[in-house]
Amino acid sequence: MGRSAKWSSRGRPVCRSGDLVLSDLGWRTAAVAPAGRFTRLRRVEGVPDSAFLGVLGMPGLSAYVGLTGIAGMRPGGTVFVSGAAGAVGSLAGQIARLRGAKAVIGSAGSAPKVEYLTGELGFTTAFNYKTGPVRELLAEAAPDGIDVYFDNVGGDHLEAAIDALKPNGRAALCGAGCASDGEETVDTVFLPMVR
């Protein structure tokens, strides 16, 4: 994200100097690329420009579409979010709460992150996945099962969520953060067959 200094397409300006732009070129102070690599952003009064890198950007879009479009989250259900303290997971949990989830459960990798989820973001409960088997921790947090799973990590979290899903439960598979450790899990063995 940055501000445009000069932007033209075939000699015609398509953006004014100082306009806010977003690209896939990575964080940088300057970039020269074809105009198609940039998107001009419309500022929102009272919203900081940095929101386009979070809630109004890829993390927010991933959380919203995954939760509401792919998983079809409905009010009154129980939602489990893995990697809940990350950029996408934290937004998915907040969106679930704001859209009427009965309970929002998160997993994170430390006690301070668990406290952040329940104390600041409004998750109903959360657990530190490093303190025991995820399957047992999730069963304790959601003894009646879950309606929606928002997956950011795959592996043992995905396996536990599949076990905990109620009939007609749904999942959005957003990431597979643990699939790179070489261990055969549901996401490394099964998911390539359904793509």
Side-chain angles (χ1 to χ4, degrees):
M1 187 171 70
R3 287 177 174 73
S4 173
K6 183 177 181 185
W7 185 356
S8 64
S9 176
R10 296 185 183 161
R12 295 184 314 268
V14 292
C15 189
R16 293 186 311 265
S17 179
D19 281 351
L20 190 65
V21 297
L22 183 68
S23 78
D24 61 354
L25 298 170
W27 191 266
R28 55 187 66 230
T29 56
V32 176
R37 298 284 300 273
F38 298 92
T39 301
R40 188 173 74 172
L41 302 173
R42 192 183 84 221
R43 285 194 165 89
V44 179
E45 188 176 332
V47 176
D49 291 347
S50 61
F52 288 102
L53 298 176
V55 69
L56 297 179
M58 180 278 298
L61 184 62
S62 298
Y64 184 80
V65 170
L67 192 63
T68 64
I70 295 170
M73 184 251 157
R74 296 185 289 269
T78 298
V79 177
F80 171 48
V81 180
S82 62
V88 175
S90 63
L91 291 170
Q94 291 176 83
I95 291 167
R97 180 179 52 80
L98 292 169
R99 292 185 61 90
K102 175 179 77 176
V104 180
I105 301 161
S107 71
S110 71
K113 288 179 181 179
V114 167
E115 174 58 32
Y116 172 66
L117 295 174
T118 58
E120 291 192 37
L121 299 186
F123 281 65
T124 310
T125 190
F127 60 83
N128 179 348
Y129 66 84
K130 294 179 181 178
T131 62
V134 174
R135 186 173 272 119
E136 293 174 17
L137 296 167
L138 180 56
E140 184 180 325
D144 296 327
I146 61 174
D147 298 290
V148 169
Y149 174 46
F150 192 96
D151 181 26
N152 283 303
V153 299
D156 57 352
H157 284 71
L158 176 59
E159 292 173 356
I162 289 171
D163 284 350
L165 278 172
K166 295 177 184 177
N168 300 310
R170 295 138 344 259
L173 308 181
C174 183
C178 71
S180 62
D181 63 11
E183 178 184 348
E184 284 195 346
T185 61
V186 170
D187 51 320
T188 61
V189 175
F190 173 70
L191 291 182
M193 293 186 273
V194 296
R195 289 192 178 131

